[in-house]
Amino acid sequence: MNNRRISIIFCGGCNPRINRGQIAAQVQNMLMESGYQVGYNSLDVDFVIYISGCTAGCALKYNHSKLPAAVIAASSIDAVTIDEAKLVTEVTKRVRGYFE
Amino acid sequence: MALKTAQQYEESLRKLNFKVYLQGELVKSPVDHPMIRPSMNSVKMTYELAQDPQYADLMTATSHLTGKKVNRFCHLHQSTDDLVKKVKMQRLLGQKTAACFQRCVGMDAVNAVDSTTFEMDQKLGTKYHDRFNKFLLKMQEEDWTVDGAMTDPKGDRGLSPSKQVDPDLFVHVVEKREDGIVVSGAKAHQTGAINSHWILVMPTISMTKEDADYAVSFCAPADAEGIFYIYGRQSCDTRKLEGGDIDVGNKQFGGHEALMVFDNVFIPWENVFMCGESEFSGMLVERFAGYHRQSYGGCKVGVGDVLIGAAATAAEFNGAAKASHVKDKLIEMMHLNETLYACGIACSAEGHKTASGNYIIDLLLANVCKQNVTRFPYEIARLAEDIAGGLMVTMPSEKDLRHPEIGKVVEKYFRGVASVSTENRMRILRLIENITLGTAAVGYRTESMHGAGSPQAQRIMIARQGNLDKKKELAKAIAGIK
Ligand SMILES: Cc1cc2nc3c(=O)[nH]c(=O)nc-3n(C[C@H](O)[C@H](O)[C@H](O)COP(=O)(O)OP(=O)(O)OC[C@H]3O[C@@H](n4cnc5c(N)ncnc54)[C@H](O)[C@@H]3O)c2cc1C
């Protein structure tokens, strides 16, 4: 346990281009294996992972915070297009890169 | 000077050394040519309204480079609010000019080139984005009108650039030098080219490695050595040479397109933003087209507002305004027009930040917007012609109206309701004619069809972005299919 608290915040999911639930579950597993605490839809944490199903990016738009964050919106992380299959490893890399 | 006045804009054009051919003759002073001047007046309006406090919120923005107030046409969108305001500004200008005000192409081009050069530099280690920012800074400081030059003549549509019989059918690099490149070719249909200070050239299609010489983007002064223009004809254009003010329909405003020819033009490296990076040509085309497809959800709606107003006025002047079918047709026109606007606003509200920091529209919704634009103005125009009556195309000329003898006959037989003069009835019918099949129809109809890409180009994007697999999943879940 490294006491770092991560929150995954979702958009509403009206027309997703990616499987948000599956991505979140895989990210959660990978991070928990490394001792992170991972919860959902909270801003009382050390780092936020926003997951939006499309580029409109509603997860971030409606839950803006000053917390350090990584933003998934459709097949992109922090506005850079990326293969959907690589989203999970890329985003966990960002979290680790921030803390480790 | 972050904001030019309308007068300063006109004066700045006079200083340029344009080489423009119109009807087989070299034009001495484009600004003063009666066929060109109305189009200049439309661009001038983008400067005039920026000075007016009533319109400043839409017409101006704060530069992310300097923090200074700039004309929105020189701005990189910094939020979805900026994208929304862009569409509202375009509607406003369409209403004020009832014509194509030309300056959007450059705005859409700079926004597309900004994010593409940034991502290109990130991936390939090139140095284009810094160069581009220097150009943008100057554009903002000088309040330049910039022509967005994408469409090549393209020759045989079935062949790629490098397979064309004549290599000049797509703009291409003919020589790479230590200090820059030399380009040849042409760009067709260039909106507002002769009212622009600079041009920003982009490739017209997604290129492969073998077309690397054609994957080129650069900026150049619009009057650079080696660039010349052949002015495009418009339906009824020579009415502008007749001197009257009724038959032209819209005396003050218009739009223009021209063929822009590059005859071995030298471009210094600091003005080159892509040179051979074919893998990024598709991104640039897609982004420019996306922004420009959004634009039409504003400008065409503004012109539509004028056309609907003209049709309603004609109905009153004809004495038919109370007829239920006429009222219903006007409702249908407004419904169609506001549907176009709704798509323009929607693709803006759903926009997002790019890696470079500027904002881009939602591509799917922008393509839906433009696909509607390829249809609805035609239906609005059809309904306007229905309401106007046949006189809009069979009326005698202004000279007949003013004639000492037959003028009385024209007055008598072309009057509608007694309370409205024949002259005013002729004026409103000529305006409808102008927008539906005169000079302004270039912008309101055929540009709605082909500008920013022909209808099929949007359908390809809708197919790509439409999320069909997800829709199948939804249906299968409801139907209980495992
Ligand atoms: C009024 C007006 C203003 C414009 N302003 C500008 C401007 O400011 N800047 C700019 O860069 N461009 C401008 N354009 C150009 C515009 O983007 C083009 O008209 C558009 O991309 C279509 O190209 P085209 O006119 O060459 O038509 P074409 O490409 O010849 O298309 C004609 C038809 O052929 C089809 N077609 C073409 N190629 C193929 C193919 N390979 N396979 C299958 N079908 C095909 C098309 O779908 C369409 O149905 C303007 C156009 C107009 C009409």
Side-chain angles (χ1 to χ4, degrees):
Chain A
M1 182 78 74
N2 67 18
N3 285 333
R4 303 293 191 185
R5 294 166 309 149
I6 314 293
S7 173
I8 295 174
I9 295 187
F10 290 111
C11 68
C14 67
N15 193 9
R17 268 50 169 194
I18 53 172
N19 191 332
R20 298 169 312 139
Q22 195 181 68
I23 289 166
Q26 288 173 1
V27 169
Q28 184 178 29
N29 282 344
M30 283 176 77
L31 289 176
M32 284 173 77
E33 276 169 17
S34 310
Y36 290 91
Q37 298 173 42
V38 182
Y40 288 94
N41 292 343
S42 163
L43 285 173
D44 181 21
V45 288
D46 303 308
F47 193 99
V48 183
I49 299 170
Y50 292 101
I51 304 185
S52 294
C54 77
T55 53
C58 294
L60 176 66
K61 196 185 280 180
Y62 300 116
N63 300 282
H64 223 287
S65 81
K66 293 216 164 86
L67 291 166
V71 181
I72 296 178
S75 291
S76 75
I77 298 183
D78 296 336
V80 176
T81 305
I82 197 165
D83 193 43
E84 186 179 348
K86 292 189 181 145
L87 287 173
V88 172
T89 45
E90 265 306 312
V91 84
T92 49
K93 230 191 262 173
R94 307 253 165 145
V95 176
R96 291 200 181 107
Y98 181 76
F99 289 113
E100 292 166 18
Chain B
M1 180 200 297
L3 287 179
K4 271 190 170 71
T5 64
Q7 204 46 43
Q8 284 168 335
Y9 164 65
E10 182 174 334
E11 291 313 317
S12 67
L13 283 186
R14 284 183 196 287
K15 290 183 190 139
L16 299 181
N17 192 21
F18 277 111
K19 199 171 170 193
V20 185
Y21 292 92
L22 193 160
Q23 294 195 298
E25 284 174 12
L26 194 61
V27 180
K28 273 207 190 96
S29 168
V31 170
D32 299 307
H33 193 288
M35 268 166 71
I36 304 178
R37 190 165 175 85
S39 73
M40 195 279 295
N41 285 336
S42 298
V43 183
K44 206 170 162 183
M45 189 56 99
T46 69
Y47 291 87
E48 193 175 319
L49 294 187
Q51 302 277 337
D52 186 336
Q54 274 190 84
Y55 303 113
D57 184 49
L58 293 183
M59 295 300 308
T60 63
T62 304
S63 164
H64 73 294
L65 294 175
T66 61
K68 286 187 198 154
K69 194 172 175 182
V70 293
N71 193 298
R72 188 173 294 283
F73 283 100
C74 299
H75 182 56
L76 293 189
H77 315 298
Q78 297 299 303
S79 62
T80 51
D81 279 356
D82 269 350
L83 289 168
V84 167
K85 283 187 182 179
K86 170 194 164 186
V87 172
K88 288 175 187 269
M89 169 182 75
Q90 291 169 312
R91 183 171 190 170
L92 170 72
L93 279 157
Q95 293 171 344
K96 295 284 184 192
T97 60
C100 170
F101 40 88
Q102 306 144 56
R103 216 175 159 185
C104 328
V105 214
M107 168 177 51
D108 294 338
V110 290
N111 274 279
V113 172
D114 176 76
S115 61
T116 306
T117 50
F118 183 88
E119 287 173 46
M120 203 171 6
D121 287 358
Q122 295 252 304
K123 183 152 184 219
L124 306 177
T126 45
K127 296 273 177 293
Y128 295 124
H129 192 248
D130 274 356
R131 288 179 191 170
F132 170 73
N133 267 335
K134 283 186 189 127
F135 165 70
L136 182 70
L137 187 66
K138 201 88 178 105
M139 174 184 175
Q140 293 187 341
E141 276 174 356
E142 298 293 327
D143 204 0
W144 281 334
T145 289
V146 171
D147 172 291
M150 176 165 277
T151 313
D152 294 276
K154 296 183 293 196
D156 183 337
R157 271 65 176 155
L159 298 177
S160 67
S162 56
K163 297 276 181 318
Q164 297 288 333
V165 173
D166 181 344
D168 287 344
L169 291 169
F170 286 78
V171 169
H172 61 117
V173 178
V174 288
E175 191 188 344
K176 277 188 197 166
R177 300 191 341 206
E178 199 129 288
D179 50 350
I181 56 175
V182 177
V183 296
S184 272
K187 291 288 181 183
H189 319 281
Q190 289 311 298
T191 295
I194 289 129
N195 295 323
S196 299
H197 303 98
W198 277 66
I199 54 179
L200 178 48
V201 169
M202 301 160 283
T204 201
I205 47 169
S206 183
M207 310 267 179
T208 57
K209 275 201 178 110
E210 60 179 6
D211 294 325
D213 285 344
Y214 300 82
V216 60
S217 172
F218 58 87
C219 64
D223 61 345
E225 183 71 35
I227 298 180
F228 65 93
Y229 303 86
I230 307 177
Y231 200 82
R233 285 218 76 158
Q234 298 182 330
S235 161
C236 310
D237 53 5
T238 46
R239 287 191 194 182
K240 290 176 189 164
L241 303 175
E242 292 171 6
D245 68 14
I246 297 179
D247 294 354
V248 282
N250 183 349
K251 182 167 170 62
Q252 213 187 334
F253 302 107
H256 79 233
E257 277 74 33
L259 179 75
M260 174 189 285
V261 183
F262 299 86
D263 180 8
N264 288 297
V265 179
F266 172 71
I267 311 291
W269 281 115
E270 68 255 31
N271 291 342
V272 177
F273 310 132
M274 178 185 284
C275 185
E277 295 80 5
S278 50
E279 60 182 296
F280 280 87
S281 56
M283 177 188 282
L284 184 50
V285 173
E286 186 176 288
R287 290 186 181 180
F288 169 77
Y291 283 121
H292 211 44
R293 288 168 193 175
Q294 166 209 29
S295 284
Y296 287 176
C299 64
K300 303 301 173 214
V301 180
V303 178
D305 286 328
V306 177
L307 181 56
I308 295 166
T313 306
E316 275 172 29
F317 290 4
N318 289 348
K322 292 205 175 84
S324 62
H325 78 95
V326 170
K327 286 184 190 159
D328 192 55
K329 281 167 184 157
L330 289 167
I331 292 167
E332 177 66 7
M333 291 162 86
M334 290 188 278
H335 162 70
L336 293 168
N337 207 40
E338 298 301 339
T339 306
L340 297 179
Y341 182 59
C343 279
I345 294 296
C347 70
S348 307
E350 297 269 279
H352 64 275
K353 202 176 187 170
T354 67
S356 74
N358 76 337
Y359 273 66
I360 190 164
I361 36 57
D362 180 275
L363 267 184
L364 172 64
L365 296 181
N367 278 280
V368 171
C369 176
K370 173 68 210 319
Q371 181 77 182
N372 284 340
V373 171
T374 67
R375 299 173 181 167
F376 296 178
Y378 286 85
E379 180 61 8
I380 294 171
R382 190 183 74 80
L383 291 167
E385 288 182 37
D386 177 349
I387 292 170
L391 207 53
M392 64 172 260
V393 292
T394 63
M395 230 176 352
S397 69
E398 179 177 357
K399 282 187 180 142
D400 295 314
L401 176 73
R402 307 273 185 234
H403 192 274
E405 283 145 40
I406 58 165
K408 292 187 198 88
V409 182
V410 174
E411 279 277 0
K412 177 181 161 81
Y413 288 109
F414 294 107
R415 204 171 192 107
V417 293
S419 57
V420 174
S421 68
T422 299
E423 177 177 327
N424 281 347
R425 187 167 180 232
M426 289 173 79
R427 281 182 183 278
I428 206 71
L429 293 175
R430 287 290 181 214
L431 174 58
I432 296 174
E433 181 198 30
N434 172 258
I435 299 174
T436 56
L437 42 87
T439 52
V442 170
Y444 193 61
R445 293 175 62 128
T446 315
E447 189 185 358
S448 291
M449 179 68 78
H450 289 291
S454 311
Q456 188 59 19
Q458 291 106 59
R459 297 186 84 77
I460 290 166
M461 288 301 291
I462 292 168
R464 237 189 260 162
Q465 306 262 330
N467 212 6
L468 194 57
D469 286 341
K470 175 75 184 167
K471 293 180 195 339
K472 286 195 278 188
E473 268 175 36
L474 294 171
K476 285 177 188 165
I478 298 285
I481 298 169
K482 299 245 161 59

